[in-house]
Amino acid sequence: MSTDATRAEICAVACADTWRDAGEVLAHAVGTIPAISARLARLTHSPDLVLTDGECFLMSEPPPLGKNAAAGGTVESWAPFRSIFDILGTGRRRSMMGASQIDPYGNQNISAIGDWRQPKRQLIGVRGAPGNTVNHRVDYWVPAHSPRVFVERVDVVCGVGNDRARAHQGSSLRFHQLGVVVTDLAVLDYGADGRLKVRSLHPGVSAEDVARRTGFPLDASSAGTTRLPDAEELRLIREVIDPRGLRDSEVRS
């Protein structure tokens, strides 16, 4: 284990671990750290993970961040936009999305802040969040853990949380699966009651730090410590995947 890893690199490895045992599925990774994590997983423990160049080409060797298929590597196939919904509907995809708000049960909002009829802030809309949470596993990445993000109740439900999925009548949410929430402070998962709890704290972060920056009670009684990257993971992040250091613009050390 390396002791000189930055917080961004610790987060990237924590996100990469979410792709373990995913198998041959299309990785949908939103954000710099998630994009690094999917590439790192493909180059280490999850070689069957399917990656694009950020556009439509499926790559045998993931290109560095900011580069597309023209930068080199072997194009294995392609997935035009019209094919994505077929892949999504058959569950051959996994997503790591962002969250403008997330509540204790994992309901996620990326649409608007305030009353939806006259919001204070208009965001990007629900986008593919409902379909993602209905069809396949979804993990979340939050680069700035804050009580403005972790709220008691989201203003608009975009990604379906555990409470709504369990209360739903019928079979349309039978594939609903929320994985973990990785933040710049910790890794959160869900207890038997469907509520978020702390799985691990990043090195140098205390349970009090997380509690102070969360807008609802969060159980940290069984939290461990997030693992550090090993030497090979650091080499891949620094020399192959993100040589320009874009990770540090998303997570400050």
Side-chain angles (χ1 to χ4, degrees):
M1 299 294 180
S2 174
T3 58
D4 69 339
T6 66
R7 181 66 60 81
E9 290 162 345
I10 291 169
C11 291
V13 169
C15 290
D17 283 342
T18 69
W19 304 101
R20 287 184 185 272
D21 304 317
E24 189 177 346
V25 298
L26 180 63
H28 174 240
V30 181
T32 300
I33 295 296
I36 293 171
S37 80
R39 287 163 165 80
L40 182 62
R42 170 66 182 264
L43 293 172
T44 54
H45 51 69
S46 301
D48 293 331
L49 197 63
V50 179
L51 301 179
T52 74
D53 66 337
E55 296 177 6
C56 63
F57 293 107
L58 305 183
M59 306 296 295
S60 61
E61 300 92 24
L65 290 191
K67 301 293 184 180
N68 59 20
T74 302
V75 176
E76 294 182 310
S77 184
W78 72 306
F81 186 70
R82 65 176 179 270
S83 301
I84 297 300
F85 296 101
D86 294 331
I87 297 170
L88 173 68
T90 55
R92 296 175 295 164
R93 184 175 182 265
R94 272 177 54 170
S95 179
M96 175 167 278
M97 300 177 62
S100 301
Q101 292 179 327
I102 189 166
D103 75 8
Y105 291 95
N107 293 287
Q108 172 245 31
N109 175 25
I110 53 173
S111 182
I113 302 300
D115 189 325
W116 65 270
R117 290 164 293 193
Q118 191 172 0
K120 297 176 182 177
R121 294 288 186 273
Q122 181 65 56
L123 306 178
I124 63 173
V126 298
R127 307 290 294 221
N132 291 345
T133 50
V134 166
N135 285 290
H136 55 68
R137 171 171 166 163
V138 173
D139 301 278
Y140 292 116
W141 160 243
V142 177
H145 196 126
S146 160
R148 296 177 64 181
V149 177
F150 290 91
V151 296
E152 192 66 49
R153 182 182 179 88
V154 299
D155 293 329
V156 181
V157 176
C158 300
V160 179
N162 289 320
D163 55 343
R164 284 177 166 79
R166 293 178 180 187
H168 178 71
Q169 300 295 317
S171 61
S172 61
L173 288 174
R174 65 191 183 277
F175 299 119
H176 179 270
Q177 182 186 3
L178 297 183
V180 301
V181 181
V182 181
T183 82
D184 61 329
L185 300 183
V187 180
L188 314 179
D189 61 9
Y190 302 88
D193 60 356
R195 285 182 63 97
L196 281 168
K197 60 183 180 64
V198 182
R199 173 188 287 186
S200 68
L201 300 163
H202 299 336
V205 177
S206 69
E208 291 73 23
D209 294 330
V210 175
R212 187 169 56 252
R213 290 167 62 176
T214 305
F216 51 82
L218 199 58
D219 180 13
S221 59
S222 60
T225 302
T226 308
R227 76 175 182 90
L228 293 171
D230 62 31
E232 177 61 7
E233 288 171 327
L234 283 180
R235 185 191 70 81
L236 289 170
I237 292 171
R238 294 173 179 178
E239 299 178 14
V240 178
I241 301 170
D242 184 28
R244 296 164 60 192
L246 299 178
R247 60 194 177 277
D248 293 320
S249 65
E250 189 165 61
V251 178
R252 295 182 178 180
S253 296

